[in-house]
Amino acid sequence: MRYSKLFPKTMREPKKDMVAVSHKLLYMAGFVRELSAGRYELLPLGMRVFQKIVNLIDREMEAIGSQRFSIPLLQPIEYWQKSNRDKAWGSLLMKIKDRNESEFALSATGEGIVTEMVKETKPSHKDLPIVLHQFIAKFRDEMRPRGGLLRVREFVMKDAYSFHISEEDFMKTYNDFYKAYSQICEKLDLTYYPCIADSGALGGDYCHEFQIPCEAGEDKIAKCDSCEYAANIEKAEFVREEIGRDEEPKPYQIVDLPTNVAKIKELAKHYGLPENKFIKNVVYKTKSGKLVIATITGNLDVNDFKLARVVDEGELELATTEDLASIGAKTGFVHSWGYKEYKKKIIFVVDESIVKAKNLYGGHKTETTDPINVNYGRDFSADKIGDIADPYEGAVCKSCNKGKLKIIRAVEFGHIFKYDHFYTTHHEGYYIDKDGSQKLMYMGAYGIGIERAMAILVELHHDAKGIIWPKIVAPYQVHLIGLNGLGEEAYKKLMDSSVDVLFDDTDKSAGEKFANADLIGIPVRLVVSEKTGDKIEYKERNSDRIE
């Protein structure tokens, strides 16, 4: 390809609202353009990288016995309703009606549709396992798309689905995908952590995310420094401190406390005690309007996702000032117990840290008083007990009970799910067993977002000058630069030798050509000039050495 004919050319500056490195560099180097918030056009260079990522993943899928297929983007809403996924996805799910007023969901995931497809073939035990994969556009109405390709509203995903006669057979395929995803990360030169994670709206209760350490990532993971344990903080477990472990329970007392001493840091300073000695309340609201009072020790933070799992009433949002006023409370004066007249409107939830602690301070502050020596079970109780707290740097790993957790910012590269009978029950996904009886198939799903993979590669493989593409997915093998009108012969010979080459045949200065080559990030730069004579200057993008 001649650079003079390439659409478009590079840009020297990113747009002002671009923050993520990958967003800036993919724009400046001419790989993508934004059509609207969260929707991107792949330009010719971007399309070449995109297709090479697809080809790499496709090869790995075929290597573990997966067959490629495709389903429509518009999916009858009734298939989503069978498993209640339309409600679970909520506002993320985009819907549309046709001229007959029939409602369709725009492809957000494919579990229900694929289960319907497989069951229609009436598979027997001899047909299983069935393993299928596709590359399909996804539509998710993200509230705040950001980070360029890292979080978008429309993208292509490699979906895969598998169906089995037993859990044991399923786990073999699950492990095949686990290994395949590991190999894909390694071939892309990505450091990765397979993390225990939450399935969210997709369903199921066992899954792994392949998380890539990345400062631009929205996720946080907890990684043990002693064992292999790694988990998304939405799922990460840690050992709670036994606060006051060696103390005997002291008599409950109410003491004077100034009105303006309400926040944890203020309380710690006032009493001269560590933050973990105090009770902290955070209030949320369910979709049905109930208030959830989440109680933890003062040194911890509530994890919304963990809390939602314990409450089990769908998504939660932070309560407003008006919500608090509806039960006679206000910020800084929320009680961990009481409100008897509002009993039907409130769900009290405590973290494990509260249950294990002795002689805590707070939990029922008034304008002028506060309780001390509060003990769970004796002085108050809750509707639910659970793990509702974020892990923190240095917390003891619950898996090995000795290592310390490190909190790492990361971005999800891929996700594998164990569904068991979650979808096959709702969609009557049966197979015919040896004895002629119908039995539910076990099922799993496995995904990788292609555009996000592009962004991750740039986030992890760049320098101050531009992108450094791994050879396996680079848009071209070599970037040939001709100076003073030279390079035509080298270009022809490279083309004749089936070398994938981008030839800068423009009349730009040497400095501008070198800057463009560094920005675009092709692994090898070749230069032909009067200075090189009958030789070619060779330089790898990730090295300063010139030969």
Side-chain angles (χ1 to χ4, degrees):
M1 181 70 195
R2 293 177 180 272
Y3 186 73
S4 60
K5 300 297 183 183
L6 180 67
F7 171 80
K9 303 301 187 286
T10 59
M11 307 280 287
R12 298 324 304 171
E13 297 291 336
K15 292 185 177 180
K16 290 181 180 179
D17 62 343
M18 295 178 175
V19 177
V21 171
S22 58
H23 195 185
K24 295 176 182 178
L25 292 180
L26 286 170
Y27 168 78
M28 292 165 61
F31 287 80
V32 302
R33 288 292 183 273
E34 187 174 25
L35 176 64
S36 64
R39 292 185 172 86
Y40 283 82
E41 301 157 336
L42 288 178
L43 305 178
L45 284 177
M47 196 65 207
R48 291 179 73 88
V49 174
F50 174 94
Q51 192 58 53
K52 288 187 177 184
I53 295 173
V54 167
N55 293 343
L56 167 61
I57 296 172
D58 196 35
R59 289 193 297 270
E60 294 297 328
M61 293 300 95
E62 290 185 354
I64 60 174
S66 182
Q67 302 174 70
R68 190 164 172 177
F69 78 115
S70 180
I71 60 173
L73 298 177
L74 292 182
Q75 303 162 0
I77 195 66
E78 54 265 29
Y79 290 129
W80 283 75
Q81 292 168 339
K82 282 188 177 184
S83 60
N84 207 35
R85 292 305 87 190
D86 59 323
K87 289 185 173 59
W89 278 81
S91 59
L92 280 175
L93 184 65
M94 301 183 72
K95 291 173 278 192
I96 191 171
K97 288 184 179 181
D98 67 8
R99 68 178 68 190
N100 299 314
E101 290 297 303
S102 297
E103 191 171 20
F104 296 84
L106 272 74
S107 168
T109 188
E111 285 83 354
I113 304 300
V114 178
T115 304
E116 292 282 339
M117 180 183 75
V118 170
K119 83 168 189 181
E120 285 296 315
T121 67
K122 296 181 170 55
S124 78
H125 64 96
K126 294 180 180 178
D127 299 315
L128 301 180
I130 294 170
V131 185
L132 305 168
H133 73 279
Q134 64 175 340
F135 295 87
I136 184 172
K138 300 291 185 187
F139 302 86
R140 297 178 183 177
D141 199 6
E142 295 283 354
M143 185 178 294
R144 289 181 295 274
R146 52 201 175 275
L149 297 183
L150 289 172
R151 181 165 292 280
V152 292
R153 288 179 170 145
E154 183 176 340
F155 60 98
V156 172
M157 178 175 278
K158 186 284 299 176
D159 278 352
Y161 305 94
S162 65
F163 299 85
H164 309 265
I165 62 173
S166 67
E167 184 176 23
E168 180 183 6
D169 185 59
F170 164 78
M171 286 308 299
K172 292 177 183 176
T173 298
Y174 189 92
N175 289 327
D176 284 344
F177 274 92
Y178 189 103
K179 292 175 184 175
Y181 278 31
S182 298
Q183 289 177 9
I184 291 167
C185 288
E186 288 164 9
K187 288 180 178 180
L188 293 173
D189 194 22
L190 294 174
T191 299
Y192 66 97
Y193 295 116
C195 295
I196 299 166
D198 183 68
S199 300
L202 288 164
D205 59 5
Y206 181 80
C207 64
H208 283 87
E209 292 171 340
F210 282 71
Q211 290 279 4
I212 312 298
C214 174
E215 280 304 310
E218 294 181 335
D219 290 343
K220 288 182 180 179
I221 64 171
K223 174 71 179 74
C224 179
D225 63 8
S226 182
C227 71
E228 293 300 310
Y229 181 78
N232 192 302
I233 61 167
E234 297 168 5
K235 199 79 172 178
E237 298 181 293
F238 62 100
V239 177
R240 298 298 191 277
E241 297 177 89
E242 293 187 37
I243 300 158
R245 179 179 58 182
D246 299 328
E247 300 176 14
E248 290 296 323
K250 297 176 183 178
Y252 178 90
Q253 295 181 51
I254 294 177
V255 299
D256 293 334
L257 186 69
T259 303
N260 62 348
V261 179
K263 296 179 180 178
I264 293 297
K265 291 190 181 299
E266 295 167 348
L267 290 164
K269 183 178 180 180
H270 176 82
Y271 286 107
L273 293 171
E275 293 183 0
N276 64 9
K277 283 292 286 186
F278 296 91
I279 291 173
K280 179 165 73 174
N281 292 315
V282 185
V283 188
Y284 293 82
K285 183 169 63 176
T286 69
K287 285 189 174 180
S288 65
K290 288 184 179 179
L291 297 185
V292 179
I293 298 180
T295 302
I296 56 174
T297 52
N299 61 316
L300 299 176
D301 292 312
V302 174
N303 183 289
D304 306 9
F305 293 92
K306 287 185 175 183
L307 179 63
R309 280 198 301 271
V310 173
V311 174
D312 196 24
E313 290 202 15
E315 293 179 14
L316 303 175
E317 61 182 58
L318 282 171
T320 64
T321 302
E322 291 74 20
D323 294 326
L324 296 182
S326 72
I327 60 169
K330 61 181 180 179
T331 302
F333 296 86
V334 176
H335 298 164
S336 303
W337 62 89
Y339 304 117
K340 291 182 180 179
E341 64 270 40
Y342 304 107
K343 186 173 179 60
K344 292 183 179 180
K345 189 175 181 177
I346 301 173
I347 303 171
F348 289 100
V349 184
V350 299
D351 182 65
E352 297 166 2
S353 60
I354 294 289
V355 178
K356 291 187 174 185
K358 292 179 185 176
N359 303 323
L360 295 174
Y361 282 53
H364 209 281
K365 178 173 170 51
T366 69
E367 291 287 344
T368 57
T369 67
D370 203 28
I372 64 171
N373 302 328
V374 179
N375 288 273
Y376 184 81
R378 184 193 71 180
D379 303 316
F380 78 107
S381 60
D383 300 307
K384 295 175 182 285
I385 300 170
D387 174 5
I388 62 170
D390 275 339
Y392 57 90
E393 188 85 16
V396 176
C397 171
K398 201 169 184 178
S399 180
C400 66
N401 214 37
K402 61 178 181 179
K404 300 293 180 67
L405 295 181
K406 183 174 179 60
I407 306 302
I408 302 169
R409 186 168 289 281
V411 60
E412 179 189 325
F413 173 79
H415 208 149
I416 59 178
F417 300 87
K418 179 178 184 284
Y419 290 142
D420 294 340
H421 295 146
F422 182 84
Y423 285 96
T424 53
T425 295
H426 291 291
H427 292 272
E428 299 179 343
Y430 297 107
Y431 73 95
I432 309 301
D433 204 1
K434 295 176 183 177
D435 59 6
S437 64
Q438 288 189 328
K439 292 183 179 177
L440 287 171
M441 293 179 285
Y442 281 79
M443 182 185 177
Y446 322 86
I448 297 175
I450 310 303
E451 287 94 337
R452 179 181 285 185
M454 288 177 61
I456 290 172
L457 286 169
V458 177
E459 289 289 338
L460 274 296
H461 299 298
H462 72 270
D463 61 15
K465 297 177 181 178
I467 303 169
I468 306 173
W469 290 109
K471 291 181 180 180
I472 197 167
V473 295
Y476 292 92
Q477 292 172 277
V478 299
H479 192 139
L480 174 65
I481 293 175
L483 300 180
N484 302 319
L486 300 175
E488 289 290 342
E489 184 182 357
Y491 179 54
K492 183 178 183 304
K493 287 185 175 181
L494 287 165
M495 294 287 286
D496 290 344
S497 300
S498 299
V499 175
D500 211 10
V501 57
L502 177 63
F503 174 35
D504 191 338
D505 58 339
T506 65
D507 58 1
K508 302 291 184 183
S509 69
E512 187 171 349
K513 290 187 177 187
F514 293 159
N516 281 342
D518 286 336
L519 179 59
I520 293 169
I522 294 168
V524 174
R525 186 186 77 189
L526 303 179
V527 179
V528 178
S529 67
E530 294 172 348
K531 178 181 175 182
T532 62
D534 60 353
K535 296 182 180 182
I536 291 180
E537 181 182 285
Y538 175 98
K539 178 185 176 298
E540 294 190 1
R541 176 63 183 85
N542 60 355
S543 171
D544 291 329
R545 183 180 178 186
I546 295 175
E547 299 179 65

